[in-house]
Amino acid sequence: VFGFGGSFAAYSYISPVLTGVTGYGSTGVALMLGLFGVGTTVGAVAGGRLADAAPMPTLYLFTGALAASLGLFAFTAGNPVLAPIAVFLIGATGFVAVTSLQTTILEKAKEAPGLAAAGIHSAFNIATALGAMLGGAAISAGLGLTSPALVGAALSAVGLGLALLLALSERRAALVRRAAAADSASVAEPEPVAESAAGRGGADDVVPEPAAA
């Protein structure tokens, strides 16, 4: 919710930023929106490959990269050369992170993939509304047209922090399960029973009879 909400906090108000801060006209805005779409396409394709190889590291890396890209846009929106780069990076990094997040959730919810997919889309809709609301609140507070990008960077940073906390808790839970399994195995293992002298019957216990004269 937080990572994707960060992306849409900036995207929801990108047109007034491009016209009022960057200085683009309607054609320039259309081209920039197309560039954002190219970025999301590249991010979705690359994110699928990266998520197959390492979903969680991909999520961490590109959620952080999304926060950095949003911060970059906030400070380069007035530059007609650097602003397009930041817009492309927002689209690309955001959708790499989203793709890896979807892969991770579906991997952990193998028994109910339909429910997991519905939950993912519901969360994305909440994120879109949350990002747009907070971005608009920042503009209404008089923080400027570029403030939604900073709000988005903060949201993405929160999302990254939550993902890291989740990974830490899962690692601790895995260590606890391993320790419990090792204890159970040691308790279940039978101890060797020493044989008594009486129970070792055999040839060694037979007393030889004296030979006949």
Side-chain angles (χ1 to χ4, degrees), residues 139-157:
I139 295 175
S140 298
L143 300 179
L145 290 174
T146 59
S147 59
L150 294 176
V151 171
L155 289 174
S156 297

Side-chain angles (χ1 to χ4, degrees), residues 52-190:
D52 285 340
M56 293 308 293
T58 300
L59 177 61
Y60 305 147
L61 176 62
F62 283 91
T63 302
L66 174 59
S69 299
L70 288 164
L72 177 66
F73 181 64
F75 292 103
T76 61
N79 188 317
V81 176
L82 297 179
I85 298 175
V87 169
F88 175 83
L89 289 176
I90 291 171
T93 57
F95 271 74
V96 171
V98 165
T99 304
S100 60
L101 178 61
Q102 288 179 317
T103 302
T104 301
I105 293 174
L106 292 175
E107 179 67 22
K108 293 181 179 295
K110 292 180 178 179
E111 297 182 357
L115 180 61
I120 290 171
H121 288 287
S122 298
F124 286 166
N125 288 330
I126 294 172
T128 301
L130 177 66
M133 181 188 72
L134 295 178
I139 295 175
S140 298
L143 300 179
L145 290 174
T146 59
S147 59
L150 294 176
V151 171
L155 289 174
S156 297
V158 171
L160 175 60
L162 292 175
L164 292 173
L165 286 176
L166 177 62
L168 181 60
S169 66
E170 288 184 347
R171 181 172 297 182
R172 288 179 177 176
L175 291 176
V176 170
R177 287 194 297 268
R178 289 178 185 175
D183 291 340
S184 300
S186 62
V187 170
E189 184 178 352

